[in-house]
Amino acid sequence: LPAMIMTCEGGDFLQGDVAGLKQAHEDGVRSIGIVHYRVSEIGDIQTAEPKHGGLTDFGRQVVQEMNRLGMIIDLAHADFETTKGAVKATEKPVILSHSNLHMENITNARLISPEHAQLIAETGGVIGAWPAGIGISDMNGYIDQIFRFVDSIGIDHVSLGTDMDANFRPVFDNYRQLPLIPAGLLARGMSEDEVAKVIGGNFIRVFRQVER
């Protein structure tokens, strides 16, 4: 049956009070991207000058309380130092729901380094390959991005990360296109078991570990 997981993009609604996490959890929220397009009380972001030098003390409280409640910590939009702080503070896997690795001759603040990606993988977490039209222009380019992540951090740490709403020139913008992704992965030599991990299995593993 179709299902969804409620998330929030940005922990701004907390307004510096960690107690808001319990209310969000009771309302059904199971994942929060702790920062978004604002340097907040929680930490710094990729697309603005850093203010805190990484995760703040309040940000560490947010990470620890999300661990306690069984909520998935999403580090999309967090800069490298904030990501390092969150990875150090967490006792459970984290995700980075949508990004891609740096590409030669492509400059964009939302792309991440292999070292940044490895931080997520070291928690046992996953990164969602992002179908934004940054350095890619078609589905083949998106398949390339998935394989670049697999080569960098391993098959157990890669998933799909669509961010379809208001995405920049997305090459995957309609779920009717979804069968093209496993077909493309299989055509490039990925096994059926590996494809199953990328299109949902890895995320489900993380969700179960965190919820526990």
Side-chain angles (χ1 to χ4, degrees):
L1 293 176
M4 71 174 186
I5 297 170
M6 289 179 61
T7 71
C8 295
E9 198 164 23
D12 306 70
F13 71 93
L14 296 173
Q15 297 182 323
D17 185 357
V18 75
L21 288 170
K22 186 174 185 293
Q23 182 63 58
H25 186 269
E26 289 174 354
D27 290 341
V29 175
R30 290 297 178 269
S31 178
I32 297 173
I34 59 173
V35 294
H36 194 216
Y37 278 115
R38 171 179 169 263
V39 176
S40 71
E41 301 86 354
I42 293 172
D44 294 322
I45 61 175
Q46 294 170 304
T47 48
E49 287 297 314
K51 175 181 176 182
H52 305 294
L55 193 74
T56 65
D57 289 340
F58 175 65
R60 280 186 285 277
Q61 294 177 43
V62 168
V63 167
Q64 291 162 358
E65 179 67 358
M66 288 180 70
N67 279 175
R68 188 188 72 81
L69 291 167
M71 302 174 79
I72 298 172
I73 296 158
D74 181 1
L75 297 174
H77 295 270
D79 73 356
F80 185 67
E81 292 301 322
T82 298
T83 298
K84 279 204 301 186
V87 165
K88 183 177 180 180
T90 189
E91 296 180 352
K92 295 185 178 182
V94 300
I95 69 170
L96 200 166
S97 59
H98 54 290
S99 190
N100 284 325
L101 291 169
H102 287 308
M103 292 170 278
E104 189 175 358
N105 300 322
I106 301 294
T107 301
N108 189 284
R110 291 281 289 106
L111 303 181
I112 63 174
S113 67
E115 294 77 14
H116 193 144
Q118 190 62 39
L119 289 173
I120 306 298
E122 287 172 357
T123 71
V126 296
I127 299 177
W130 190 30
I134 300 171
I136 61 174
S137 58
D138 56 26
M139 188 65 79
N140 283 328
Y142 185 45
I143 300 299
D144 288 340
Q145 299 284 30
I146 294 171
F147 272 98
R148 292 178 70 227
F149 270 130
V150 171
D151 291 343
S152 180
I153 58 176
I155 190 66
D156 293 324
H157 305 291
V158 184
S159 65
L160 307 181
T162 61
D163 192 35
M164 281 189 181
D165 188 20
N167 199 350
F168 176 74
R169 296 180 182 173
V171 299
F172 169 40
D173 60 5
N174 188 307
Y175 285 115
R176 286 191 293 270
Q177 297 172 289
L178 185 60
L180 298 175
I181 299 172
L185 296 173
L186 290 167
R188 301 276 192 94
M190 191 176 282
S191 72
E192 289 185 9
D193 287 345
E194 290 172 331
V195 170
K197 289 183 177 185
V198 171
I199 66 173
N202 286 335
F203 176 79
I204 290 170
R205 169 183 56 79
V206 169
F207 183 82
R208 287 172 174 164
Q209 289 178 303
V210 171
E211 191 180 38
R212 219 179 276 128

